[in-house]
Amino acid sequence: MENFTYSRATSLSDATTQAVSDQNSMFIAGGTNVVDRLKVFLDQPSQLIDISRLQMQDIELMADGSLRLGALVSNTAVADNSHIRHNYPMLARAILSGASQQIRNMATVGGNLLQRTRCPYYYDTAFPCNKRISGTGCPAVTGVNRNHAILGASEECVAVHPSDMCVALAALDAVVEVASPQGQRQIPFTEFHRLPENTPEKDTNLAPGELITAVILPPLSWGKSGVYLKLRDRASYSFALISVAAAINLLGESQSNTIQSVRLAMGGVAHKPWRATAAEEFLIGKSANRETFTEAAEIALQGANPLTHNGYKVELAKRAIRRALTVSAQGGGVV
Ligand SMILES: Cc1cc2nc3c(=O)[nH]c(=O)nc-3n(C[C@H](O)[C@H](O)[C@H](O)COP(=O)(O)OP(=O)(O)OC[C@H]3O[C@@H](n4cnc5c(N)ncnc54)[C@H](O)[C@@H]3O)c2cc1C
């Protein structure tokens, strides 16, 4: 770890002003990712700006029915919140499928969005990595790439985004609220993270020095059918090989089997949480059954471009989608 200056932000404007005036500074919230990165020289900031005491610790139900999650709310508090468990269960389950209780107690909403890939070539500074140092190359393209991307990758980077929470947030049409000395703005969740293209060093569309202040969940009256399915090498304490967040709303009449609306997103497949919009469009108006879900899964994986060692992910993702949609159509619950 390189030496750095530590400063504790006293207000939102203090935090963003400090960040803009020293562009080699970093925010620290729960510290569960950033400290790991400092220890192995992935980041070498001149200054760490501790934002953990700022007033962004509340979950608020807004007048329009949306739920505002302050950027410093812990992952545990989000997963334990009764409104979230009832109305957005896919989010609670996604969070609880990740890390450990101790890490979730420290981890924050904002930090979870900005955790970086677990690609082993990114973490090992003995290897080149375009995400670490632009223009040095991507050894994963021809190396051991079992855990890597099958959708949306580029020749410069095949890493995947590691977050479970973000897959649910993509499906829920969340909005990220950010602040800078210029003021506040909102970014739709699906536009927050980036595909690698030729700038894999950039994970998000945040401007330098911008601070996440909250994540907003729009109301979703049928969100209680939401599910989260995570498939991984170990039953716990492991990142997703494939994950699926799904929710289905069947037409109002009882016994109806027609899909009125649907949300579908995948994790472990791309450089960002992957919203399967073409599959969603296909599903609307169709009968909720195995054949429909199988076809939707085929559509969701159209364009998949597996590497040498991760072809299994294509079939695994299709089956995970079918399973998640089936459970959601039955009303939701544990997949
Ligand atoms: C052993 C282990 C296992 C894990 N397993 C999983 C898993 O299975 N699934 C999963 O999803 N996650 C997993 N995680 C990741 C964990 O969820 C993240 O480390 C955590 O969410 C990061 O939150 P934090 O508050 O600690 O962020 P920090 O480490 O404090 O910060 C992370 C990044 O976000 C930036 N940042 C933090 N807050 C803000 C803000 N408000 N505005 C702008 N920038 C900000 C920091 O500068 C830094 O770049 C695991 C972590 C560990 C250590």
Side-chain angles (χ1 to χ4, degrees), residues 30 32 74-76 98-108 237:
T32 62
S74 74
N75 286 187
T76 298
S100 66
Q101 184 67 56
Q102 292 90 338
I103 292 169
R104 294 193 297 267
N105 289 346
M106 290 300 295
T108 63
Y237 212 49

Side-chain angles (χ1 to χ4, degrees), residues 27 29-34 37 98-99 108 112 114 163-164 212 230 239:
F27 297 123
T32 62
N33 187 225
V34 78
R37 281 156 41 191
T108 63
N112 194 310
L114 294 179
S163 168
D164 292 293
I212 300 171
K230 177 174 178 177
F239 290 91

